[in-house]
Amino acid sequence: MRAIGRRTLGLSAGAAGLVGLSGLRAAEAATPRNALVLGHLAELETLDPAQATTISDFRILSSIYEGLLRFKSGTLEVEPALAKSWTISPDGKTYTFKLRDDVTFHDGTKFDASAVKFNLDRVLVKGAPFSDTGPFPFVFILGPITSTEVIDPTTVVIHLSQPYAPMLNMLASGVGLLVGISPAEVKQFGKSFSRHGGGAGPFKFRLWEPNVRIVLEANASYFRGAPKLKGLVFRPIPDSSARVSEMLSGGTDLMVEVPADDVPLFKSKSQFVFVEQPGPHLWYLMLNCRQKPFSDVRVRQALNYAINKQAIADQILKGTAKVADSVTPPAFTGFHDDSLKPYPYDPAKAKQLLAEAGYPNGVDVVFDVTQNGSGMLSPVLMGTAIQADLAAVGIRAKIETYEWNTYLAKLLPGMGKVDIAEMSFMTSDPDMLPALALRTGAAVNSGYFSDPEVDKLIAAGRAETDLTKREAIYKQLQQVVYKDAPWGFIVNWKQNAVMTDKVHGFELQPSFLMRLDTVYKS
């Protein structure tokens, strides 16, 4: 197993102490007292925020990089980050950002408007320098950017082809972190940048030992002030039981996404602090709309009627989630259509629809289930319960199970011959999930769903800058998607975490990113 480090790993004494972690119990002895060890859900896929696709990766990357904007703590309202201020032209197509002049990247080079242009050109302009260092699957969510213009070192202008209402939210999201990449690091490492990284955030990348740990060192030159912690150690522990055991035994200081069965245990022990926070999350079943049986809307609706989602929420997730009704999570207050009710549990209705669709004797399907993954809650147990509910109405699902990163690599490009697959999504704007996963031909429209009315509403919602009108568009979109049933809508989750009572200052964020520069240990 080869460890990936910064150049020759010529580290300071403090960083060397962090990197001195070896094994599980030995790690505890080698870890400096003021380093935070986190039990992480999955192995890191990339150190390039332009290539990242999962909240699991962005939770790590948000400590290494800064975007032009970020979300105010505890909210989905944007505030300055690398940009001090911004103005938007009356036609909504020109964004002018005034940048901080006191920011340096981890490599010592200076952040300025040219760095912003370099980073945006790299991912958006075909043939631009280092544009071959991708792929960059989610960068289109930053908006219909046509060009980036440098006015002076502290002023950059982003030009759009049309108004784009989610623009500021997307710049504050995990994908928006790509604006804060060090151009010098990309130029040095080229296509290997994804294994090296380099930004201007509160922590510097120091070591990546695959399937063992990712080590970050505090950035003493961080423009908001040096972090209180000496460093961070992310330990990928995909198995939830092992992750819980490590937390209980002292192998980790903090873990997010506590399994529902273990929540009462942590709540009962005085040495732990359990926290939770609502956020825009959806756990759903992708359906292959390109092939039978799910090319028929009646079968897709039948699946939604067949699943006892309330039992999943109550018995498997122990009340940590609520039954979902459509594509927009209720956490998007104002955008969510509160009049929309979830598909009721109605096996008789499901059987009727299956018969009408030509399947009176049921149908055999392939059902992909993940073993783990950020936001996936209890995917194996949930998959098994769903399989039983479907079988009761005649949908005989053969489960095939995969590790999270393997699962994503298999399904995100398209479901192929798979009929049903589990998925979850955390988002920071009501546009993001529909635009990514429901538009015709979109980046992660793995189920090949296509509806001209849905495409039209997504386009309208993205371009509408009047808040009231935009909210109305997304409510209409929910109604259409509800009837089309391109997915099985299962639950909306309230995120959670547990930490030892030695950890202070940690708060869960509605964006699902992690803010760790103000965290400390006693």
Side-chain angles (χ1 to χ4, degrees):
M1 181 178 293
R2 186 174 71 89
I4 301 167
R6 302 299 293 151
R7 302 177 177 86
T8 59
L9 288 181
L11 308 178
S12 66
L18 285 171
V19 175
L21 303 176
S22 177
L24 300 184
R25 300 275 67 83
E28 295 172 21
T31 303
R33 184 168 178 266
N34 198 29
L36 190 73
V37 182
L38 302 94
H40 203 57
L41 280 84
E43 170 67 315
L44 181 68
E45 280 291 288
T46 180
L47 283 161
D48 184 351
Q51 296 189 47
T53 59
T54 69
I55 197 65
S56 179
D57 277 7
F58 285 126
R59 281 185 175 132
I60 296 175
L61 300 181
S62 56
S63 286
I64 302 173
Y65 300 93
E66 290 278 339
L68 290 176
L69 309 173
R70 69 175 187 173
F71 294 111
K72 295 178 183 177
S73 185
T75 77
L76 289 174
E77 298 176 29
V78 298
E79 68 177 4
L82 294 177
K84 297 191 299 183
S85 62
W86 59 91
T87 57
I88 306 171
S89 64
D91 65 2
K93 296 194 292 185
T94 303
Y95 287 69
T96 302
F97 294 92
K98 295 297 294 184
L99 310 178
R100 298 183 67 104
D101 61 1
D102 59 348
V103 177
T104 56
F105 291 110
H106 298 155
D107 56 21
T109 59
K110 190 170 179 59
F111 167 77
D112 58 15
S114 295
V116 176
K117 178 173 173 58
F118 174 91
N119 287 319
L120 289 175
D121 285 355
R122 176 175 80 107
V123 302
L124 294 170
V125 179
K126 186 176 181 179
F130 300 94
S131 60
D132 62 347
T133 52
F136 311 117
F138 284 1
V139 297
F140 75 90
I141 70 170
L142 294 180
I145 298 172
T146 56
S147 64
T148 306
E149 178 184 5
V150 174
I151 304 302
D152 58 50
T154 60
T155 309
V156 66
V157 178
I158 299 176
H159 298 281
L160 310 181
S161 61
Q162 62 188 55
Y164 180 59
M167 178 77 171
L168 297 180
N169 275 8
M170 293 300 98
L171 286 172
S173 72
V175 177
L177 295 171
L178 70 87
V179 176
I181 291 172
S182 165
E185 297 289 336
V186 176
K187 293 172 183 177
Q188 176 174 354
F189 293 109
K191 292 183 178 180
S192 297
F193 174 75
S194 64
R195 311 303 288 181
H196 295 274
F203 294 90
K204 304 177 182 180
F205 168 66
R206 279 298 176 245
L207 179 74
W208 178 0
E209 190 172 357
N211 299 306
V212 178
R213 62 190 178 272
I214 299 96
V215 180
L216 309 183
E217 178 192 15
N219 175 16
S221 301
Y222 183 48
F223 65 87
R224 291 191 181 93
K228 296 180 179 181
L229 291 164
K230 192 170 187 176
L232 306 173
V233 181
F234 293 89
R235 289 181 48 204
I237 312 175
D239 181 77
S240 60
S241 297
R243 206 162 55 250
V244 168
S245 295
E246 281 301 301
M247 192 71 206
L248 290 169
S249 65
T252 54
D253 300 310
L254 185 150
M255 65 175 281
V256 295
E257 302 193 27
V258 180
D261 281 341
D262 297 295
V263 169
L265 174 64
F266 285 113
K267 283 185 173 181
S268 70
K269 292 183 177 293
S270 60
Q271 69 267 40
F272 295 108
V273 178
F274 177 83
V275 293
E276 58 185 3
Q277 205 257 9
H281 166 276
L282 176 64
W283 199 105
Y284 60 101
L285 296 174
M286 297 188 296
L287 306 179
N288 193 330
C289 300
R290 188 168 66 180
Q291 65 187 25
K292 295 180 178 180
F294 294 111
S295 54
D296 191 316
V297 66
R298 292 169 294 186
V299 180
R300 302 197 298 267
Q301 291 174 345
L303 176 138
N304 276 282
Y305 284 115
I307 299 170
N308 191 341
K309 301 159 195 166
Q310 192 63 56
I312 291 173
D314 293 342
Q315 298 169 22
I316 296 178
L317 302 178
K318 311 296 184 184
T320 60
K322 293 185 177 182
V323 175
D325 51 44
S326 190
V327 65
T328 302
F332 285 123
T333 306
F335 289 92
H336 179 261
D337 186 349
D338 294 335
S339 71
L340 200 62
K341 303 303 178 187
Y343 276 86
Y345 175 51
D346 191 340
K349 178 71 171 177
K351 290 180 180 180
Q352 175 193 334
L353 287 167
L354 282 172
E356 290 175 4
Y359 303 99
N361 299 316
V363 63
D364 296 299
V365 297
V366 177
F367 180 15
D368 275 10
V369 169
T370 181
Q371 297 170 349
N372 46 47
S374 186
M376 292 307 301
L377 311 182
S378 298
V380 175
L381 287 176
M382 294 170 73
T384 303
I386 289 167
Q387 180 189 42
D389 284 345
L390 295 179
V393 302
I395 302 176
R396 297 175 292 272
K398 177 187 176 184
I399 286 181
E400 298 181 354
T401 308
Y402 302 87
E403 182 275 330
W404 178 235
N405 288 321
T406 302
Y407 183 83
L408 291 178
K410 177 178 185 285
L411 289 173
L412 287 185
M415 293 177 70
K417 295 187 180 300
V418 175
D419 300 294
I420 308 171
E422 298 177 340
M423 189 53 64
S424 74
F425 211 90
M426 295 98 134
T427 179
S428 51
D429 189 276
D431 166 79
M432 191 174 179
L433 180 52
L436 278 171
L438 286 178
R439 279 193 308 168
T440 302
V444 291
N445 186 345
S446 302
Y448 318 106
F449 174 72
S450 180
D451 182 324
E453 186 176 5
V454 168
D455 293 343
K456 181 180 178 180
L457 288 167
I458 291 172
R462 307 185 105 203
E464 182 54 70
T465 55
D466 181 279
L467 180 60
T468 301
K469 293 179 181 178
R470 189 168 185 243
E471 289 176 346
I473 291 169
Y474 284 93
K475 289 176 180 176
Q476 185 180 354
L477 174 65
Q478 287 164 76
Q479 294 281 351
V480 176
V481 171
Y482 180 92
K483 294 175 184 176
D484 276 341
W487 301 332
F489 309 105
I490 309 300
V491 293
N492 302 118
W493 171 65
K494 183 184 291 186
Q495 64 173 322
N496 61 41
V498 66
M499 68 200 87
T500 72
D501 59 4
K502 304 297 183 186
V503 177
H504 308 279
F506 175 79
E507 295 181 1
L508 290 166
Q509 301 297 328
S511 65
F512 297 95
L513 302 178
M514 298 183 77
R515 192 170 294 183
L516 299 172
D517 56 300
T518 58
V519 174
Y520 64 98
K521 292 170 65 176
S522 59

